[in-house]
Amino acid sequence: VVFLAQRLLAEPLVTFSRDRAIDNSAELIREIETYRATNGHYPPSLLSVWQDRPPRVIGIPRYHYERAGESFNLCFEQFTFDLAAREFVVYNPLDQQVMTSHDLDLLQFPPDRLARSRGFFESVDCPQPHWTCFRFD
């Protein structure tokens, strides 16, 4: 009974959390796009001590940003009740979302091999445009 109750409540809670973090990123995405409009390119980094636009969702401490060619990825790790998996939710305005399991893969694999072996076992498009969930074990 407890397991069934957890399963019935878990997915709606995770979905609510994910949707709220996505919604709360809108201002940060607008500011990134404003930077691009002003400077002609996306910011090289948002690495900082303090994050001025935090997700404001329990269990999601911050957004992570990386410039990606002529675009960018904004992501966060989403809590999941599946203890065997980790979920990362990634935004890319050109729908070129990527997430890789190991940083050394990025350093050691040539682009053609990296494209085939990112390490996630599932990717699912979110209902919100330009967002994808990647699940890793």
Side-chain angles (χ1 to χ4, degrees):
V1 173
V2 173
F3 177 75
L4 180 61
Q6 284 179 326
R7 297 305 292 168
L8 291 175
L9 291 174
E11 191 56 39
L13 290 172
V14 169
T15 300
F16 175 80
S17 170
R18 180 187 313 111
D19 290 348
R20 183 171 172 112
I22 289 172
D23 290 346
N24 290 347
S25 72
E27 185 63 28
L28 177 57
I29 291 170
R30 276 193 293 277
E31 290 168 342
I32 292 168
E33 292 294 350
T34 298
Y35 180 99
R36 179 180 172 265
T38 302
N39 298 288
H41 57 84
Y42 287 111
S45 173
L46 293 179
L47 181 63
S48 63
V49 173
W50 302 109
Q51 188 169 45
D52 297 310
R53 300 279 183 241
R56 296 187 315 272
V57 176
I58 293 172
I60 302 174
R62 70 181 301 136
Y63 297 110
H64 301 276
Y65 167 92
E66 73 168 350
R67 193 166 156 185
E70 296 300 315
S71 189
F72 70 94
N73 293 309
L74 185 71
C75 74
F76 59 91
E77 185 171 2
Q78 171 64 48
F79 173 80
T80 175
F81 285 97
D82 181 352
L83 300 179
R86 295 178 72 183
E87 178 177 297
F88 292 84
V89 186
V90 183
Y91 173 88
N92 183 290
L94 299 180
D95 292 324
Q96 298 171 343
Q97 299 88 337
V98 294
M99 189 70 190
T100 304
S101 59
H102 296 277
D103 53 6
L104 286 180
D105 292 350
L106 296 168
L107 297 172
Q108 297 175 350
F109 290 162
D112 62 326
R113 179 164 176 213
L114 185 60
R116 296 187 315 266
S117 60
R118 294 265 181 192
F120 55 88
F121 66 85
E122 181 179 40
S123 68
V124 178
D125 290 335
C126 296
Q128 300 87 343
H130 313 298
W131 287 92
T132 300
C133 295
F134 293 93
R135 296 191 178 105
F136 295 83
D137 51 11

